[in-house]
Every structure is written in structure tokens, then in C-alpha cells.
Amino acid sequence: MLLKIAALLSPADLKQARDLLDQADWQDGRLTAGAQAAQVKNNQQLPVGSESARALQTLLLKALEGHATFFSAALPKRLLPPMFNRYAGEANTYGKHIDQAIRYVPGTGQRVRTDISCTVFLSEPEEYEGGELVIADTYGEQRVKLAAGDAVLYPGTSVHRVEPVTRGARLASFFWIESMVRSDEQRRLLFEMDQALMQLRGEHGESDAAVQLTGTYHNLLRMWADT
Ligand SMILES: O=C(O)CCC(=O)C(=O)O
Ligand SMILES: [Fe+2]
């Protein structure tokens, strides 16, 4: 499932993130890429563990924690600490690749299976030319370029790339999620059911049928989740 989440970051969060990014030092993005990805990766990243990266991580994680749509779609079990990248000038693209299935949390060595990939856009679309995140989907390619503060979630199994940025700079946060529900198909069913239930309650209030369906949602989650 490819899902766009509008305004994951509030305007205040976004302003703070941009201030931190303005003062940050960048390094070659290839340092954290696997062998195949390193051949096509040409961008910059904040050094993992740097002061600015840590402050930005705290900000991002706080926004994610309280976000109902993010939780309902991702059903997160573990998160890799969010990372931050920049595409501009000579370092302006990331060619076709697939993300590594298993990544290690820096410092702890804990393994995380990358069920879901997430990009949070931190530049407005008008600030740069190009830079679309192009994701291969069951129904063809999706070209994603969102407002600053918006996010996209997509299955870790998808081949994707970032088009060259030919003007300005594209700033983003990217990270991976291991979900309690490993299957993308099952996660999608649960998300659709949860959204439909909220709509049902919003339109018709509480009812025996809504209670029963909520029970069914939780019983499916109990059957499929691995906590
Ligand atoms: O910059 C992005 O939107 C995606 C980055 C990416 O695909 C990666 O770092 O693996
Ligand atoms: Fe990627």
C-alpha cells in the first residue's frame, strides 16, 4: 500500500526542522548504502548520531508517536531512527534501488526488518525542480512530490528512485518501519477497516454493528500481529 499522509509535521515542527537543517553539516549519502544502492546513490545525509540528527530525530519521533493515521497504517513494532537527506548541486539523485531488508539500529546493533519505507518531505515543491520519489507499484509508477511536512509510506519491497534535482535543494527525512503485521496485504485490510469504522462512527454514531466490527478488527489484529 502506498499512502500519503498530509501534515505529519505541524508548521511549528517544520520551522524547527528547517532551522536545524540549515545549521547542519552534510556527508556523502553512500556511506550508509548497501552495495547495489551505493552505485546509484548520489546525495547527502546528516551523519548518524550528530547533534543535529539527534535533535531532528526527537522532533520526528514525537510527531509520529501521536499520529493516528500513521499508527493505523504502519502498526509499528520497531522504527529505525529517522535519517535526513539533501539533493542539490552535484549530489542530486538516487537511482533505481530496493532498500535493504534488514538494517541495524546504530549504537545498539538491534535488527529491524524494513517492512515499510517512509519519506517525509521537508522542502516545499516550489523550492526545487525534479526530485520526485518514483515508486514502482502494482499498477505502474507513482511519482510522489509532496508539500513540506507531508509523508509517504510505501512497501519496503518496492523498487524506487529519486529523480535528479535540477534546481534548488530537496530536503527530506527517510526511515524504515518494522510492522507488527508483516504482510502488506493484511496491513492494508486492517487500515481500510479501521478507516471505514471511523467514518461509520462519525456518520452514524455508535451501534451494535460498529462494536462488532471493531471486535473483528481487533481479532484480526490479534491473529496477524507479532508484537
Ligand atoms: O529521498 C527519498 O525520498 C528516498 C531515499 C531512499 O530511497 C533511501 O535512502 O533509500
Ligand atoms: Fe530507498
Side-chain angles (χ1 to χ4, degrees):
M1 170 173 69
L2 188 151
L3 182 75
K4 296 171 190 169
I5 300 180
L8 181 79
L9 295 184
S10 68
D13 282 345
L14 189 59
K15 160 110 187 35
Q16 201 187 340
R18 288 295 294 258
D19 288 346
L20 286 162
L21 287 164
D22 279 349
Q23 298 155 21
D25 289 323
W26 298 90
Q27 70 179 20
D28 191 333
R30 273 172 282 234
L31 288 168
T32 59
Q36 186 275 327
Q39 292 175 42
V40 291
K41 189 172 184 181
N42 181 24
N43 66 358
Q44 291 181 306
Q45 284 174 194
L46 291 193
V48 174
S50 64
E51 211 175 301
S52 28
R54 281 180 189 280
L56 282 154
Q57 275 165 5
T58 305
L59 187 149
L60 247 284
L61 291 174
K62 228 169 164 189
L64 293 171
E65 245 170 49
H67 204 285
T69 311
F70 172 78
F71 187 87
S72 172
L75 296 168
K77 177 174 172 182
R78 283 196 268 264
L79 255 69
L80 262 315
M83 294 169 75
F84 300 86
N85 63 17
R86 178 174 188 265
Y87 301 76
E90 299 283 294
N92 60 27
T93 189
Y94 196 164
K96 236 186 211 184
H97 68 282
I98 200 143
D99 298 330
Q100 287 165 292
I102 309 288
R103 298 187 73 101
Y104 296 85
V105 178
T108 72
Q110 187 186 34
R111 276 193 295 266
V112 178
R113 192 184 59 229
T114 58
D115 295 325
I116 303 169
S117 305
C118 179
T119 290
V120 183
F121 289 78
L122 298 174
S123 299
E124 294 295 355
E126 307 78 53
E127 290 182 81
Y128 59 98
E129 206 71 57
E132 292 83 1
L133 173 60
V134 184
I135 304 164
D137 191 19
T138 333
Y139 303 110
E141 284 191 339
Q142 303 278 339
R143 301 177 68 82
V144 184
K145 183 169 178 174
L146 303 177
D150 290 3
V152 60
L153 298 177
Y154 57 101
T157 49
S158 331
V159 172
H160 56 281
R161 66 178 192 274
V162 176
E163 297 279 49
V165 170
T166 54
R167 176 187 63 79
R170 173 196 192 270
L171 297 166
S173 174
F174 63 102
F175 60 95
W176 293 274
I177 302 138
E178 179 173 328
S179 178
M180 290 186 280
V181 176
R182 183 178 188 160
S183 150
D184 186 56
E185 216 173 339
Q186 291 172 342
R187 262 196 325 273
R188 177 201 286 267
L189 286 174
L190 289 168
F191 178 66
E192 288 172 353
M193 194 166 177
D194 191 35
Q195 297 298 298
L197 266 166
M198 277 202 290
Q199 198 183 332
L200 200 66
R201 284 208 164 86
E203 287 170 10
H204 304 287
E206 194 56 282
S207 65
D208 286 353
V211 172
Q212 179 55 57
L213 281 174
T214 303
T216 306
Y217 170 87
H218 282 283
N219 290 334
L220 285 171
L221 185 57
R222 213 185 318 275
M223 184 155 43
W224 291 337
D226 169 23
T227 57

